[in-house]
Amino acid sequence: MRWAHSVEQVRSAEQDLMARLPEGALMQRAAAGLATAVAELLGAMYGARVLLLVGGGDNGGDALYAGARLVRRGAVVEAVLLSEHAHTDGLAAFRGAGGRVVDRADAHRPDVVVDGIVGIGGRPGLRPEAEQVLAGLAGVPVVAVDLPSGVDADTGRLDGPHVRADLTVTFGTHKTAHLVDPAALACGVVHLVDLGLELPAPGVEALQAEDVAALLPRPGPFDHKYTRGVVGVHAGSAAYPGAAVLATSAAVSGLAGMVRYAGSAADAVRARHPEVVVSDGRVQAWVVGSGGDADAEQALAAALADGVPVVVDADALVHLEQHPGRRRGLVLTPHAGELARMLDADRAEVEADQLGWARRAAAAYDEVVLLKGRHTLVAHPDGRVRVTTSGVPWLAVAGAGDVLAGLVGSLLAAGLEPYDAASVGSWLHGAAAALAADGGPLQASAVADAIPATVRRLLA
C-alpha cells in the first residue's frame, strides 16, 4: 500500500523521532536520500552542474546538506538563496564542502535544478522573485525537495504559480499532493526516502499490485457459476448499443461466475458474447446507466428495487435524486462534469479540487463515489479515499467508462464490498489499459479483452 499523510501527521511523527535521535540526524538522513536521487538522475557526477534554489525552511536545509554531499562526489554545485533565513548549519556545511553561493545572474546554466524553495508547510503559490528565477531555467530538469514549491500538500490543489518537477524526492511518507491531481502531475516521478517515521492511519492511500492481488475474489474448489456471483448489466440503448457490448465485455472477464443482460442491445451483446444470458433471474449486483440514454431511468429504478449492490454510471446518475429511499451498496462512477452536475458545481471547480469534491459527493450521497480521471479517486462516505495510479494517458478514449462499470459490477457480484470493488476495479482497469496499449493507442474493447491477462500476471 502507498500511504499519503497530512502535513500535521508528518510534523508530529518527525518531532517524535527527532526526540530520540541526535540533533540534526533526521535532516542528514533526508539529505543523503536526496543526494543519492540527484546523483542517480545525473548519472556521471564528476563536473556535473547542480543549482540549488534555497528558501528559508527545512527543505532548504535538506538541499544545502545534499549539495555538500554532491560537491564531495565531484559535482559543481551553486546555490541561489531566495530567503534571508537560509538554514544556518546547512549553509555552513555547503560552503565548507566547496559549494558556491551566487546571485541568480551569476549562476551557470545547470544540468539539474534542486527546488528547495518552499517546504510542505508553506503556503500555496510562489513569490515573484522565485518565479523569475525559475523562468530563466526553463528546460532544465527539476528535482523537488519533498514537494514542488507552491503546491498545496494536503489537498492536491494548485493555487497560484508553482514548480513543475521532473522528480520529487519526499521523506518519511507520501503527502496527499503526491497522489492526487492536479498537484500530482506537477510532482513528476515521486521517490520516497524512508526515515523510519511512526505514522497514524492515512486519509489517502493507493493500492499496489500486492494489495489488489490480496483483495481479488478467487474461486474455491467447490464453487460454481452461481456461488461465484451473477452480475446483471442493464446498459446500452438504441442510440448507444456499443456501451452494452463494452460493459458486458468487462463483466464476462471471469471475475464473476455469470452475466445476465437486460436491455435493448441484446442482439449486439449475444453476437459478441454468447456466454451472456439474456433472461430474467437473480443477480448479486447490477450495472446500470452506461450508454443508457432514455432507458437509464427505468433501469436504475428496477436495479434499486432488486435490493442488491449497484454500479450507477453515466445516464443513470442524473436520476439518483428521484430515488432517495433505499441506498445501500451503490458505487457512483461520475467523471468531473457529471459530478459537477450532481453537486451543482462548475466542472472547473471539481477539476481543481478533485479530492475535496469526491469527498463531498460521497458524504452527500452516503455512497462510494468513483471520480474518474488521470488519477481516479474512490471516496468512502467516512472520508477515506483511495487513488488509482495504474492508468495511462491512452485510456482517455470513448467507451473506457463502460468497461470500468462492467468490471466494478463483476467484483461487486463476486462479493467485494463497494469500496474494495471500486478501487480494485479501477486499478485493474488502469493496469489492463497499460498492458493493452503497450506504449501506444488503444480502444476500449482492448482494455476489456486485456483484463484476464492482467489478472493472470497479478496472481503469478
Side-chain angles (χ1 to χ4, degrees):
M1 192 79 72
R2 184 175 293 168
W3 294 284
H5 290 82
S6 69
V7 172
E8 182 180 354
Q9 289 175 319
V10 173
R11 292 296 193 219
S12 177
E14 286 177 343
Q15 290 171 2
D16 290 344
L17 182 57
M18 285 190 291
R20 303 192 301 270
L21 293 175
E23 185 177 355
L26 192 62
M27 184 170 284
Q28 290 296 338
R29 287 185 187 179
L34 174 61
T36 298
V38 173
E40 290 176 352
L41 178 65
L42 285 168
M45 282 296 299
Y46 189 78
R49 290 193 173 276
V50 180
L51 179 63
L52 313 179
L53 303 182
V54 180
D58 284 347
N59 70 326
D62 297 333
L64 289 165
Y65 278 121
R69 290 172 178 267
L70 293 170
V71 170
R72 289 193 289 269
R73 295 176 67 168
V76 177
V77 187
E78 297 177 329
V80 173
L81 306 184
L82 295 173
S83 169
E84 297 177 356
H85 307 289
H87 193 278
T88 303
D89 292 341
L91 185 56
F94 176 68
R95 282 177 161 145
R100 179 169 170 252
V101 176
V102 297
D103 293 330
R104 64 184 183 189
D106 298 329
H108 294 86
R109 188 162 181 85
D111 298 305
V112 66
V113 171
V114 176
D115 161 31
I117 304 170
V118 182
I120 59 173
R123 296 173 61 184
L126 290 174
R127 290 186 300 173
E129 182 184 5
E131 282 191 81
Q132 291 171 10
V133 173
L134 288 163
L137 295 167
V140 179
V142 176
V143 177
V145 181
D146 218 0
L147 197 71
S149 293
V151 167
D152 191 322
D154 282 342
T155 67
R157 291 182 61 96
L158 296 176
D159 294 322
H162 59 276
V163 169
R164 291 189 177 273
D166 298 277
L167 170 67
T168 295
V169 181
T170 192
F171 312 113
T173 181
H174 291 85
K175 288 72 182 177
T176 300
H178 295 137
L179 300 180
V180 174
D181 278 333
L185 187 59
C187 295
V189 176
V190 179
H191 173 71
L192 176 65
V193 176
D194 184 16
L195 298 180
L197 301 181
E198 296 180 5
L199 292 154
V204 176
E205 60 188 18
L207 297 182
Q208 303 301 292
E210 59 271 20
D211 306 309
V212 177
L215 287 168
L216 270 177
R218 308 181 197 188
F222 301 108
D223 269 324
H224 50 77
K225 62 186 178 183
Y226 295 115
T227 60
R228 290 191 62 204
V230 180
V231 56
V233 177
H234 195 154
S237 59
Y240 305 108
V245 174
L246 291 168
T248 53
S249 294
V252 299
S253 58
L255 294 170
M258 180 175 165
V259 179
R260 292 188 188 277
Y261 178 74
S264 59
D267 290 342
V269 169
R270 273 189 294 232
R272 175 72 188 271
H273 297 293
E275 62 268 46
V276 173
V277 176
V278 182
S279 70
D280 294 332
R282 289 193 58 80
V283 300
Q284 278 69 57
W286 277 104
V287 177
V288 299
S290 307
D293 201 29
D295 299 342
E297 183 177 1
Q298 179 184 353
L300 176 63
L304 292 175
D306 224 5
V308 298
V310 183
V311 178
V312 184
D313 187 40
D315 296 322
L317 291 166
V318 300
H319 301 294
L320 274 172
E321 293 297 339
Q322 301 170 27
H323 302 278
R326 193 213 75 84
R327 289 281 183 84
R328 189 185 69 245
L330 307 189
V331 176
L332 316 183
T333 59
H335 55 57
E338 290 165 335
L339 189 140
R341 288 193 292 273
M342 291 164 64
L343 297 180
D344 193 24
D346 291 332
R347 179 171 188 148
E349 291 181 299
V350 173
E351 290 174 337
D353 185 14
Q354 296 172 34
L355 178 63
W357 286 101
R359 280 179 165 151
R360 287 187 190 95
Y365 284 86
D366 198 25
E367 299 289 354
V368 170
V369 172
L370 185 157
L371 175 57
K372 293 179 279 195
R374 188 188 79 102
H375 281 188
T376 289
L377 303 180
V378 177
H380 193 281
D382 66 11
R384 288 176 292 155
V385 174
R386 284 179 178 158
V387 185
T388 300
T389 59
S390 60
V392 292
W394 293 110
L395 187 51
V397 64
D402 306 331
V403 172
L404 176 60
L407 177 54
V408 174
S410 69
L411 292 165
L412 281 174
L416 291 190
E417 292 297 316
Y419 188 56
D420 288 336
S423 37
V424 168
S426 178
W427 192 97
L428 286 175
H429 187 244
L435 179 62
D438 194 24
L442 79 164
Q443 300 79 40
S445 56
V447 179
D449 293 342
I451 293 170
T454 302
V455 173
R456 284 194 294 272
R457 290 187 174 198
L458 195 64
L459 298 181

